[in-house]
Amino acid sequence: MALAAKFEIEYLQYLGADGAPVAELPEAFRDPAALLPLFKQMLFVRVFDGKAIALQRTGKLGTYAACLGHEATHVGIGASMGEDDVFAPSYREYGAQFMRGVQPREVLMYWGGDERGNDFSGMKQDYPWCVPISTQCLMAAGAALSMKLQKKNGVAVACCGDGGSSKTDFYAALNSAGAYKLPLVLCVINNGWAISVPRSAQTGAETLAQKGLAGGLHCLQVDGNDLIAVLEAMRRATVRARSGEGGSVIEFMTYRLHDHTTADDARRYRDEAEVKDAWTRDPIPRLRTYLTAQGVWDDAQEKAWAEECAKKVDVEINAYLETPVQPVEAMFDYLYADMPADVQAHRAAVLAQEGR
C-alpha cells in the first residue's frame, strides 16, 4: 500500500511527577538556579489565585476563573516570550501575563467588573482577556501576519483550552499560519475539561496537538506540569518562528484542579477520584522536589517567600479595593463615537433611576 504522508507527535517530559528527571535535560535549562525565579513566580501565582477565590467568596470580586494547577504551563509560556512578541490570552493565563508586566490588581479589577483592568500594564501590544472561546487565536494570527509583512522578528502566541481547539476560530488561525508560514504559536492548554464536557467527548483526535498537522504546522505534546518541558517546547517553537520556519501547535497536558470558574461546581460532573489523582501530578511539588534535590531550595526559603507573596498580594488586593468605582454612565460613554438614539435613551433612563 502506498502512503501519501506519515506523521508522528513527539511528547516532551523531563521531570516525572515525583520530581526526578526522566530524560536528559535540555542544555538551556540544566542550571537549576536559573529555574528558581520561575518557581517563585509559580508560588506567587498560587497565592494570588487562592486569595482571589477568597475575595469572590466574600462578595468582593465577581466571577473568577482560577488557574490552580496551570502554573507551570502559564509561567513557562510567559517566560519564553520577548518584549517584541504579542500575547493573546484567554481568561486564566495570569502567570504568563504577570511575566509580561500585568499587575495583579488589574486582574482583580477586570473580574471585579471594571474594564480598566483590561488596559493593563506591561506589553501594550498584547491583547486583552478574551472570554469568547478561541477568537483570540484569530487575533494572534493577524498579529503574526503583520509581523511577517513588516519583517519584524516577533512571535505571536495564543492560548486556548482543549474545548477551544474544537472551535472554527482555532482551525482558521492554524490554517492561516500554515498557508502564510506565520510566526504563530498556538498553545492548547489541555486541562481535561471544557467546563463540564470531558476531553473524551470533545473530539475523536488521538491528540489535540495533531490538529495542527492539517494546516502544515509543527506539532508537539508536552507535560504541562513539567516547567522544563514547557520551556523547551516554547523554545523550539519560538526559534522556528523567528527563523522563518512557520508556526506550531503545542498541546500542554495539565489539569484544572479548581472548578471552571467560581460560578461552577465541578463536583456535579467530575469524579472525586480523578481530581485526587490529578493532585499527584501538581506542578509545584514536582519542581520543588527537583530544586531541593539540586540544593538550590529549602523549607526556610519557601517559608520566607510564602510570607513575602502574601504581603505582595495583599498590597494588590488593597489597591484594587481602594480604586474608585466608575460612574454608571461609563458603561455607555465609551461604546460609540456617535451614540445611537436608543443607547442615549437607555443611558438617560439609568441616570434617572439613580436620581441624577
Side-chain angles (χ1 to χ4, degrees):
M1 179 181 67
L3 291 177
K6 189 175 181 180
F7 304 101
E8 291 182 335
I9 302 297
E10 183 182 0
Y11 177 74
L12 289 186
Q13 183 189 48
Y14 296 99
L15 296 181
D18 61 357
V22 296
E24 184 177 357
L25 302 188
E27 185 176 351
F29 309 112
R30 288 177 185 168
D31 179 6
L35 299 173
L36 270 180
L38 303 185
F39 177 63
K40 293 173 74 174
Q41 182 73 350
M42 288 168 59
L43 292 171
F44 176 81
V45 172
R46 183 156 292 190
V47 171
F48 168 81
D49 201 53
K51 285 181 174 281
I53 293 168
L55 275 179
Q56 192 280 332
R57 299 304 193 209
T58 54
K60 297 176 182 177
L61 194 67
T63 297
Y64 172 78
C67 62
L68 185 66
H70 292 203
E71 294 89 355
T73 292
H74 293 171
V75 169
I77 289 171
S80 302
M81 297 181 65
E83 291 186 1
D84 296 327
D85 295 339
V86 172
F87 185 48
S90 62
Y91 46 79
R92 73 172 89 243
E93 290 85 30
Y94 317 121
Q97 291 183 298
F98 293 164
M99 297 294 294
R100 295 185 61 73
V102 176
Q103 296 185 55
R105 68 188 66 179
E106 293 163 337
V107 176
L108 299 174
M109 285 176 67
Y110 175 75
W111 289 114
D114 191 332
E115 284 290 342
R116 290 176 297 179
N118 245 333
D119 183 20
F120 43 67
S121 308
M123 312 301 174
K124 286 299 182 183
Q125 72 274 23
D126 286 359
Y127 287 91
W129 288 286
C130 187
V131 175
I133 304 302
S134 281
T135 53
Q136 69 275 11
C137 298
L138 289 172
M139 307 304 172
L145 177 58
S146 174
M147 291 173 181
K148 181 170 183 176
L149 292 175
Q150 296 180 71
K151 295 180 169 53
K152 293 183 177 179
N153 197 37
V155 177
V157 177
C159 291
C160 71
D162 39 302
S165 73
S166 298
K167 288 289 298 294
T168 54
D169 309 81
F170 175 81
Y171 284 105
L174 72 85
N175 191 64
S176 298
Y180 303 122
K181 215 166 188 180
L182 301 181
L184 175 67
V185 180
L186 293 172
C187 300
V188 180
I189 302 175
N190 183 354
N191 65 23
W193 292 87
I195 309 183
S196 60
V197 181
R199 156 71 173 86
S200 59
Q202 294 174 41
T203 176
E206 189 173 352
T207 70
L208 302 184
Q210 73 194 56
K211 294 184 177 186
L213 294 174
L217 274 62
H218 182 65
C219 304
L220 275 174
Q221 189 185 75
V222 180
D223 183 343
N225 292 341
D226 173 2
L227 177 68
I228 297 174
V230 173
L231 293 170
E232 173 61 11
M234 288 297 297
R235 186 196 67 80
R236 293 186 190 182
T238 54
V239 166
R240 284 178 55 84
R242 294 188 208 284
S243 61
E245 295 181 53
S248 299
V249 172
I250 307 175
E251 177 185 6
F252 297 94
M253 306 296 292
T254 182
Y255 195 83
R256 168 166 46 89
L257 293 171
H258 194 266
D259 300 329
H260 175 68
T261 68
T262 51
D264 175 43
D265 182 0
R267 293 173 298 179
R268 295 176 299 167
Y269 55 81
R270 202 164 60 174
D271 187 73
E272 184 180 346
E274 177 185 308
V275 181
K276 185 177 179 180
D277 179 64
W279 275 103
T280 67
R281 301 187 298 278
D282 184 346
I284 286 181
R286 179 184 309 205
L287 189 54
R288 176 192 294 124
T289 298
Y290 172 72
L291 294 174
T292 301
Q294 297 297 310
V296 296
W297 192 250
D298 56 38
D299 290 343
Q301 287 175 278
E302 179 142 351
K303 181 180 178 182
W305 179 241
E307 291 173 356
E308 187 172 345
C309 286
K311 291 177 183 177
K312 287 175 180 286
V313 174
D314 285 345
V315 168
E316 295 298 309
I317 289 173
N318 290 333
Y320 155 67
L321 294 174
E322 292 166 6
T323 300
V325 176
Q326 291 206 81
V328 69
E329 60 264 31
M331 74 174 81
F332 301 98
D333 291 348
Y334 305 104
L335 282 174
Y336 301 96
D338 297 307
M339 192 181 298
D342 61 330
V343 178
Q344 290 182 35
H346 190 188
R347 180 183 188 276
V350 169
L351 290 177
Q353 192 173 16
E354 279 207 331
R356 289 192 281 154

